[in-house]
């Protein structure tokens, strides 16, 4: 098992991948081409020597292998556990690694000077009676010189001061290894811990009206916990008491590469190529894009300790509703077949008072989660007549504690608008520009 992965959890995840691959009958080479990955990377994922940094890579693999909705949920749960185990193993490695020990150089000390030694003339007995005038006893001088050097070295050793500064290991308690946020905060991304990469910033319009997106280095993911709302029936918890669960949010889930459409208030020449699911949040922010017709959101809910947390109910709240946007519709993929229906919770945003219903065999609330038993929920919101801003709230309980967690898109409501009679554009595979759809 490669360093940095949890052995048992990663092997279980790899086993699920191998089963999907074997059943699909597809070779590693064929899968690699379809997923735009290297064959060696797929080998490492399937034999358990590596774990994807983000779940989306595994989900694409599973969908190409025609995984069932139940298998997709099980694979996601397995990846969450393996990712958490990878983080714990990394933490233990850091704790065992001794911190560098800088040693301060000894304080310079002047070497003691030996007192002058007067020349010593040998006696007549030492010279056998021969007179020696002005001769210095050389053996005696060397002995005294060596004694002076030894005394000097000893003085330096005694007076030198060696300062050893041990730096303690610092651990960040805000985020876990998977980048999930404390309950009450909206997760900035998904999954799997990703390597920072350049990201799109908001486009700047030139004097000619051309929108040019710029690339900037991504900021380090941060966690901003917000306190849970205590139930009136139970004593209020301390303000700094964290909720016993975390909620991770993926705001744009692609059921298949062709399922996601965005409305953008720009001409095709001003819009860059379509984005993958991983890049969708940055792409949408850069162009001010709004989900067109339908939006699927994934929620990863996991306890933070051994205690079981009961998820009582999930609610939708409409924060604003208006006429649909008169913008262009851009598809994020072309040439897709029929997708696999995913178990999900459904929201009809056109209803006067929308409620959350079950879809595709999804079981309704309540659910139970813990640190070792997470849950993944898919929420699909759709509209055919409005531009809607909406968010979610999740009611939970654990022992005598109760609370409510707000869920949104990085501190702002989710937004979905109908694409009534809007011009549609596709970006052909291997193409270099948007092409208007002939079917409108």
């Amino acid at each position: 098992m490669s360093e940095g992965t949890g052995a048992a959890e990663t092997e279980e995840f790899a086993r699920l991948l191998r089963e999907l691959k074997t059943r699909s009958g597809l070779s590693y080479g064929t899968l690699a081409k379809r997923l735009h990955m290297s064959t060696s990377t797929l080998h490492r994922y399937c034999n358990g020597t590596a774990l994807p940094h983000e779940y989306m890579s595994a989900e694409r693999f599973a969908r190409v292998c025609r995984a069932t909705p139940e298998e997709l949920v099980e694979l996601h749960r397995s990846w969450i556990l393996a990712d958490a185990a990878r983080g714990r193993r990394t933490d233990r490695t850091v704790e065992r690694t001794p911190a560098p020990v800088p040693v301060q150089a000894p304080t310079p000390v002047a070497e003691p000077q030996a007192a002058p030694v007067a020349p010593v003339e040998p006696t007549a007995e030492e010279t056998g009676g021969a007179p020696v005038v002005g001769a210095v006893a050389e053996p005696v001088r060397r002995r005294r010189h060596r004694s002076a050097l030894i005394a000097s070295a000893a003085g330096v050793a005694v007076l030198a001061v060696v300062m050893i500064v041990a730096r303690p290991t610092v651990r960040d308690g805000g985020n876990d290894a998977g980048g999930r946020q404390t309950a009450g905060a909206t997760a900035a991304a998904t999954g799997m811990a990703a390597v920072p990469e350049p990201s799109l910033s908001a486009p700047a319009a030139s004097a000619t009206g051309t929108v040019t997106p710029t690339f900037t280095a991504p900021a380090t993911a941060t966690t901003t916990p917000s306190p849970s709302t205590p139930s009136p029936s139970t004593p209020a918890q301390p303000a700094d008491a964290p909720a016993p669960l975390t909620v991770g949010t993926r705001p744009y889930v692609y059921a298949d590469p062709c399922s996601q459409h965005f409305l953008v208030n720009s001409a095709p020449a001003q819009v860059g190529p379509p984005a993958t699911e991983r890049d969708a949040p940055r792409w949408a922010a850069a162009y001010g894009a709004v989900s067109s017709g339908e939006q699927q959101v994934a929620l990863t809910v996991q306890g933070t300790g051994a205690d079981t947390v009961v998820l009582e109910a999930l609610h939708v709240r409409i924060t604003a509703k208006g006429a649909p946007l008169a913008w262009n519709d851009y598809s994020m993929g072309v040439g897709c077949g029929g997708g696999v229906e995913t178990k999900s919770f459904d929201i009809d945003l056109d209803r006067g008072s929308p409620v959350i219903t079950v879809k595709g065999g999804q079981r309704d609330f309540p659910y139970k989660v813990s640190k070792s038993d997470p849950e993944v929920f898919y929420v699909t919101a759709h509209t055919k007549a409005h531009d809607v801003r909406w968010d979610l709230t999740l009611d939970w309980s654990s022992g005598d504690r109760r609370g409510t967690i707000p869920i949104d898109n990085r501190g702002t409501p989710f937004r979905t608008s109908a694409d009534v009679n809007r011009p549609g554009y596709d970006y052909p595979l291997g193409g270099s520009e948007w092409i208007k759809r002939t079917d409108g």
Side-chain angles (χ1 to χ4, degrees):
M1 192 62 55
S2 64
E3 185 175 354
T5 62
E9 294 84 354
T10 303
E11 173 53 35
E12 173 62 18
F13 176 77
R15 183 187 65 79
L16 295 176
L17 293 181
R18 291 194 299 270
E19 288 181 355
L20 291 173
K21 176 191 172 300
T22 301
R23 190 183 66 198
S24 72
L26 300 174
S27 66
Y28 281 107
T30 300
L31 287 170
K33 289 180 180 179
R34 294 189 182 184
L35 298 171
H36 303 288
M37 291 183 182
S38 68
T39 304
S40 60
T41 297
L42 290 180
H43 271 287
R44 291 196 296 272
Y45 289 166
C46 290
N47 63 27
T49 58
L51 181 70
H53 286 285
E54 293 186 347
Y55 170 69
M56 287 178 286
S57 300
E59 184 179 30
R60 291 197 301 271
F61 177 98
R63 290 186 182 278
V64 170
C65 294
R66 310 300 293 176
T68 65
E70 292 79 7
E71 289 170 335
L72 288 173
V73 173
E74 180 61 24
L75 185 68
H76 197 168
R77 180 183 289 109
S78 178
W79 178 86
I80 293 170
L81 297 176
D83 184 55
R86 169 171 58 186
R88 291 194 300 271
R89 180 171 178 142
T90 301
D91 287 344
R92 289 195 297 269
T93 301
V94 172
E95 290 174 349
R96 290 195 301 266
T97 303
V101 182
V103 179
Q104 180 174 324
T107 304
V109 179
E111 181 179 343
Q113 299 294 325
V117 180
V120 179
E121 296 183 0
T123 63
E125 293 177 357
E126 291 173 337
T127 61
V132 179
V133 180
V136 178
E138 193 63 24
V140 176
R141 177 186 299 174
R142 286 197 297 269
R143 284 197 301 273
R144 291 185 177 180
H145 184 62
R146 284 196 300 271
S147 298
L149 290 178
I150 294 172
S152 299
V156 172
V158 171
L159 294 177
V161 178
V162 179
M163 299 183 63
I164 300 177
V165 182
R167 182 175 60 189
T169 301
V170 178
R171 298 183 62 186
D172 179 9
N175 288 351
D176 63 11
R180 287 175 291 277
Q181 300 183 325
T182 304
T186 302
T190 60
M192 306 103 225
V195 178
E197 61 180 355
S199 60
L200 282 166
S201 64
S206 66
T208 61
T210 300
V211 178
T212 305
T214 57
F215 288 84
T216 57
T220 303
T222 58
T223 300
T224 308
S226 59
S228 59
T229 304
S231 170
S233 61
T234 57
Q237 296 295 321
D240 58 349
L245 69 161
T246 62
V247 179
T249 305
R250 288 161 51 201
Y252 307 107
V253 174
Y254 292 13
D256 60 65
C258 304
S259 64
Q260 181 65 47
H261 288 237
F262 284 108
L263 293 172
V264 180
N265 191 24
S266 297
Q270 300 172 337
V271 179
T276 62
E277 181 180 327
R278 176 181 177 181
D279 295 325
R282 292 192 291 268
W283 194 95
Y287 295 107
V290 175
S291 288
S292 177
E294 180 179 285
Q295 181 170 1
Q296 187 171 90
V297 177
L299 310 177
T300 302
V301 187
Q302 185 174 17
T304 57
D307 292 341
T308 297
V309 181
V310 179
L311 309 179
E312 304 283 0
L314 185 66
H315 307 282
V316 60
R317 183 184 66 154
I318 304 300
T319 62
K321 181 181 289 189
L325 299 172
W327 296 355
N328 293 327
D329 179 281
Y330 294 91
S331 173
M332 296 296 101
V334 295
C336 302
V340 177
E341 184 180 29
T342 302
K343 286 185 178 181
S344 67
F345 294 95
D346 189 74
I347 305 174
D348 183 357
L349 297 174
D350 291 328
R351 292 185 57 176
S353 298
V355 295
I356 296 179
T357 59
V358 294
K359 175 183 176 182
Q362 177 69 54
R363 179 173 64 82
D364 206 351
F365 283 87
Y367 282 82
K368 294 181 179 180
V369 298
S370 64
K371 189 172 183 179
S372 61
D373 189 17
E375 285 286 352
V376 181
F377 303 118
Y378 293 92
V379 179
T380 304
H382 49 87
T383 174
K384 295 182 179 180
H386 300 91
D387 171 21
V388 186
R389 299 173 191 261
W390 56 281
D391 58 22
L392 301 167
T393 56
L394 178 64
D395 297 338
W396 61 269
S397 64
S398 180
D400 60 353
R401 298 185 59 191
R402 291 181 178 274
T404 298
I405 297 175
I407 303 171
D408 53 28
N409 187 5
R410 294 186 176 185
T412 62
F414 302 108
R415 188 178 183 184
T416 313
S417 176
D419 58 348
V420 181
N421 299 322
R422 301 313 308 158
Y425 295 89
D426 295 326
Y427 205 96
L429 295 175
S432 59
E433 61 181 354
W434 292 97
I435 304 298
K436 188 172 182 178
R437 287 196 292 270
T438 57
D439 58 0

